[in-house]
Amino acid sequence: MRIVVLGAGLIGVASAWFLAEDGHEVVVVDRQPGPALETSFANGGQISTSHAEPWANPATPLKILKWLGREDSPLLWRLRADPAQWAWGLRFLRECSPVRTRANIRAILALALDSRARLKTLRQELGLEYDCRERGILHFYTDQMEFERALPQAALMREFGCERMPKSAAECLSIEPALAHAAAPIVGGTYTADDESGDAHRFAATLAERCVARGVRFRFDATLAAVEHAGNAVSAVRLANGEKLQADAYVVALGSYTSLLLRPLGISLPVYPAKGYSITIPLAPDAAAPTVSLTDDGAKLVYSRLGARLRVAGTAEFAGYDTQLNDARIAALLYRTRQIFPGLAFADGAVERWAGLRPATPSNVPCIGPTRLGKLYVNTGHGTLGWTMAVGSGRLLADHVAGKASALDPSPYLPQP
Ligand SMILES: Cc1cc2nc3c(=O)[nH]c(=O)nc-3n(C[C@H](O)[C@H](O)[C@H](O)COP(=O)(O)OP(=O)(O)OC[C@H]3O[C@@H](n4cnc5c(N)ncnc54)[C@H](O)[C@@H]3O)c2cc1C
């Protein structure tokens, strides 16, 4: 089959890889000059099955109220006159019930574990290099109550197959000695030895090269204007320059922009942008920087060592499609990094700053599969875990297109009609 994949982020590139592996003729379209230059560009770098607890959980509504209007808060709602934002917010609140949270953790973990295993295999098979570190992920806590709340979550994840083990404060420091001087002392943590980290942009760019070697064509600098249909099936996609591309199947992997593109077709996906920030700190050879990837759960930040750089990323702001940098939120990242690693000397001017829009569903469970319009598939809504779930999502999408059974139960991820 001839297949057009819309979007060359982590999800589009992973989809293209598996579609090409299945023998299809694949064309990938993206408005940027290369792969993974939007949300997949400078994320937290974690392959973190252990981060499967969605933002929508029983503890969140109270926290959001507490943080409302605070510019530096980990989760910030900027209320707008936008019906899509309000509808998304109401669905988010519904996902906060204990029953929904449990079901969502189960679905996220199933895909994340499958994806992590496939990533390890793909990396070995293709010899992919992207500053990967296989040293596990340590969630650490500086607040006793947050730590105690994390323990049942970790137990639930173990029940679903993720080996997220509780650790005392002393054990945390022996896993990552760079935490020893934190100005906010570590009270405990959990450690997941099989989780890992790496540079998502480098990964996507390298996999895109392998795709090209396999015959995939990339059309960069090509903005998609509309999906056209005749009756109940897609007939073509139209680019901004008027050119039309036709195929036997179309895969929409446009991240946060997927819902905007599909709305005129009457397809309503619950995907809304959740803006996040990252800073990338260049490290001196003797820097007192962590080598294990870390999650600072209370501050909603992650730290990943990417070669001679430290990436610090996180926080969420529901503010529509705006990607401008907010000084207060960047300052909060810098402040917390210095608080946790006081020995890490760096000048603010040397730090790279970035913001991206996570394609978030209210449950953090992505939408993968066919839509009610013939030939049209979606692969989006991966929210906080798009890098963790990318490879498994690419495989699952390719299985849908091929009409063959998947290793995973595909039902939790099917887009709602
Ligand atoms: C601060 C931050 C930290 C994160 N940390 C992690 C982490 O540690 N681990 C993890 O697993 N995940 C993390 N994530 C989430 C992860 O980065 C995302 O889920 C993932 O990048 C989404 O990939 P995507 O391919 O769906 O979207 P994108 O990367 O945004 O790709 C969509 C593509 O579509 C293209 N496009 C859009 N509209 C058009 C159009 N009209 N025409 C043509 N092209 C178009 C864009 O150019 C883009 O390349 C983080 C995200 C953020 C913001």
mmCIF file of all heavy atoms in Angstrom, residues 58-73:
data_model
loop_
_atom_site.group_PDB
_atom_site.id
_atom_site.type_symbol
_atom_site.label_atom_id
_atom_site.label_comp_id
_atom_site.label_asym_id
_atom_site.label_seq_id
_atom_site.Cartn_x
_atom_site.Cartn_y
_atom_site.Cartn_z
ATOM 1 N N PRO A 58 -6.449 11.059 41.762
ATOM 2 C CA PRO A 58 -7.266 11.623 42.838
ATOM 3 C C PRO A 58 -6.628 12.817 43.572
ATOM 4 O O PRO A 58 -7.335 13.662 44.118
ATOM 5 C CB PRO A 58 -7.458 10.431 43.784
ATOM 6 C CG PRO A 58 -7.334 9.235 42.900
ATOM 7 C CD PRO A 58 -6.322 9.590 41.859
ATOM 8 N N ALA A 59 -5.300 12.918 43.578
ATOM 9 C CA ALA A 59 -4.656 14.004 44.333
ATOM 10 C C ALA A 59 -4.619 15.319 43.554
ATOM 11 O O ALA A 59 -4.355 16.386 44.138
ATOM 12 C CB ALA A 59 -3.225 13.584 44.702
ATOM 13 N N THR A 60 -4.870 15.282 42.260
ATOM 14 C CA THR A 60 -4.607 16.458 41.430
ATOM 15 C C THR A 60 -5.597 17.629 41.585
ATOM 16 O O THR A 60 -5.161 18.785 41.655
ATOM 17 C CB THR A 60 -4.470 16.046 39.949
ATOM 18 O OG1 THR A 60 -3.423 15.088 39.867
ATOM 19 C CG2 THR A 60 -4.141 17.228 39.053
ATOM 20 N N PRO A 61 -6.926 17.387 41.632
ATOM 21 C CA PRO A 61 -7.829 18.546 41.665
ATOM 22 C C PRO A 61 -7.491 19.532 42.783
ATOM 23 O O PRO A 61 -7.469 20.748 42.569
ATOM 24 C CB PRO A 61 -9.206 17.912 41.861
ATOM 25 C CG PRO A 61 -9.071 16.558 41.241
ATOM 26 C CD PRO A 61 -7.665 16.117 41.537
ATOM 27 N N LEU A 62 -7.171 19.008 43.963
ATOM 28 C CA LEU A 62 -6.836 19.887 45.090
ATOM 29 C C LEU A 62 -5.547 20.675 44.822
ATOM 30 O O LEU A 62 -5.450 21.872 45.110
ATOM 31 C CB LEU A 62 -6.680 19.030 46.357
ATOM 32 C CG LEU A 62 -6.972 19.728 47.666
ATOM 33 C CD1 LEU A 62 -8.441 20.158 47.700
ATOM 34 C CD2 LEU A 62 -6.689 18.782 48.844
ATOM 35 N N LYS A 63 -4.573 19.965 44.214
ATOM 36 C CA LYS A 63 -3.294 20.634 43.912
ATOM 37 C C LYS A 63 -3.515 21.759 42.907
ATOM 38 O O LYS A 63 -2.927 22.832 43.024
ATOM 39 C CB LYS A 63 -2.304 19.628 43.308
ATOM 40 C CG LYS A 63 -1.684 18.694 44.322
ATOM 41 C CD LYS A 63 -0.614 17.879 43.641
ATOM 42 C CE LYS A 63 -0.072 16.817 44.568
ATOM 43 N NZ LYS A 63 0.778 15.862 43.903
ATOM 44 N N ILE A 64 -4.366 21.502 41.894
ATOM 45 C CA ILE A 64 -4.595 22.536 40.865
ATOM 46 C C ILE A 64 -5.189 23.773 41.530
ATOM 47 O O ILE A 64 -4.777 24.906 41.242
ATOM 48 C CB ILE A 64 -5.517 22.011 39.751
ATOM 49 C CG1 ILE A 64 -4.792 20.932 38.954
ATOM 50 C CG2 ILE A 64 -5.948 23.140 38.811
ATOM 51 C CD1 ILE A 64 -5.615 20.321 37.830
ATOM 52 N N LEU A 65 -6.133 23.553 42.444
ATOM 53 C CA LEU A 65 -6.744 24.702 43.137
ATOM 54 C C LEU A 65 -5.688 25.474 43.915
ATOM 55 O O LEU A 65 -5.628 26.707 43.890
ATOM 56 C CB LEU A 65 -7.820 24.207 44.106
ATOM 57 C CG LEU A 65 -9.165 23.851 43.476
ATOM 58 C CD1 LEU A 65 -10.139 23.397 44.540
ATOM 59 C CD2 LEU A 65 -9.734 25.062 42.723
ATOM 60 N N LYS A 66 -4.808 24.717 44.592
ATOM 61 C CA LYS A 66 -3.755 25.339 45.405
ATOM 62 C C LYS A 66 -2.807 26.171 44.533
ATOM 63 O O LYS A 66 -2.335 27.226 44.919
ATOM 64 C CB LYS A 66 -2.967 24.220 46.103
ATOM 65 C CG LYS A 66 -2.196 24.660 47.333
ATOM 66 C CD LYS A 66 -1.566 23.478 48.038
ATOM 67 C CE LYS A 66 -0.296 23.038 47.345
ATOM 68 N NZ LYS A 66 0.306 21.815 47.845
ATOM 69 N N TRP A 67 -2.549 25.644 43.307
ATOM 70 C CA TRP A 67 -1.561 26.286 42.429
ATOM 71 C C TRP A 67 -2.168 27.348 41.523
ATOM 72 O O TRP A 67 -1.428 28.046 40.806
ATOM 73 C CB TRP A 67 -0.892 25.218 41.555
ATOM 74 C CG TRP A 67 0.058 24.328 42.293
ATOM 75 C CD1 TRP A 67 0.795 24.640 43.397
ATOM 76 C CD2 TRP A 67 0.389 22.969 41.975
ATOM 77 N NE1 TRP A 67 1.568 23.570 43.778
ATOM 78 C CE2 TRP A 67 1.342 22.531 42.932
ATOM 79 C CE3 TRP A 67 0.002 22.082 40.989
ATOM 80 C CZ2 TRP A 67 1.881 21.246 42.912
ATOM 81 C CZ3 TRP A 67 0.552 20.811 40.971
ATOM 82 C CH2 TRP A 67 1.476 20.397 41.917
ATOM 83 N N LEU A 68 -3.511 27.468 41.503
ATOM 84 C CA LEU A 68 -4.194 28.353 40.545
ATOM 85 C C LEU A 68 -3.588 29.770 40.556
ATOM 86 O O LEU A 68 -3.450 30.365 41.629
ATOM 87 C CB LEU A 68 -5.688 28.406 40.898
ATOM 88 C CG LEU A 68 -6.683 28.541 39.748
ATOM 89 C CD1 LEU A 68 -6.507 27.419 38.728
ATOM 90 C CD2 LEU A 68 -8.114 28.534 40.266
ATOM 91 N N GLY A 69 -3.191 30.261 39.382
ATOM 92 C CA GLY A 69 -2.693 31.634 39.274
ATOM 93 C C GLY A 69 -1.236 31.814 39.669
ATOM 94 O O GLY A 69 -0.693 32.892 39.513
ATOM 95 N N ARG A 70 -0.571 30.733 40.175
ATOM 96 C CA ARG A 70 0.841 30.878 40.557
ATOM 97 C C ARG A 70 1.714 30.642 39.339
ATOM 98 O O ARG A 70 1.772 29.536 38.802
ATOM 99 C CB ARG A 70 1.185 29.846 41.642
ATOM 100 C CG ARG A 70 1.583 30.461 42.966
ATOM 101 C CD ARG A 70 2.069 29.402 43.929
ATOM 102 N NE ARG A 70 3.231 28.686 43.431
ATOM 103 C CZ ARG A 70 3.696 27.552 43.968
ATOM 104 N NH1 ARG A 70 3.078 27.023 45.003
ATOM 105 N NH2 ARG A 70 4.752 26.950 43.466
ATOM 106 N N GLU A 71 2.422 31.679 38.889
ATOM 107 C CA GLU A 71 3.186 31.620 37.635
ATOM 108 C C GLU A 71 4.223 30.499 37.609
ATOM 109 O O GLU A 71 4.557 29.977 36.551
ATOM 110 C CB GLU A 71 3.911 32.953 37.400
ATOM 111 C CG GLU A 71 3.075 33.994 36.693
ATOM 112 C CD GLU A 71 2.529 33.531 35.342
ATOM 113 O OE1 GLU A 71 3.265 32.904 34.566
ATOM 114 O OE2 GLU A 71 1.344 33.792 35.071
ATOM 115 N N ASP A 72 4.782 30.147 38.805
ATOM 116 C CA ASP A 72 5.852 29.150 38.820
ATOM 117 C C ASP A 72 5.349 27.763 39.232
ATOM 118 O O ASP A 72 6.127 26.873 39.541
ATOM 119 C CB ASP A 72 6.963 29.599 39.779
ATOM 120 C CG ASP A 72 6.442 29.746 41.209
ATOM 121 O OD1 ASP A 72 5.204 29.751 41.396
ATOM 122 O OD2 ASP A 72 7.277 29.839 42.124
ATOM 123 N N SER A 73 4.015 27.547 39.245
ATOM 124 C CA SER A 73 3.499 26.273 39.749
ATOM 125 C C SER A 73 3.757 25.146 38.751
ATOM 126 O O SER A 73 3.804 25.384 37.541
ATOM 127 C CB SER A 73 2.008 26.384 40.020
ATOM 128 O OG SER A 73 1.326 26.496 38.806
#
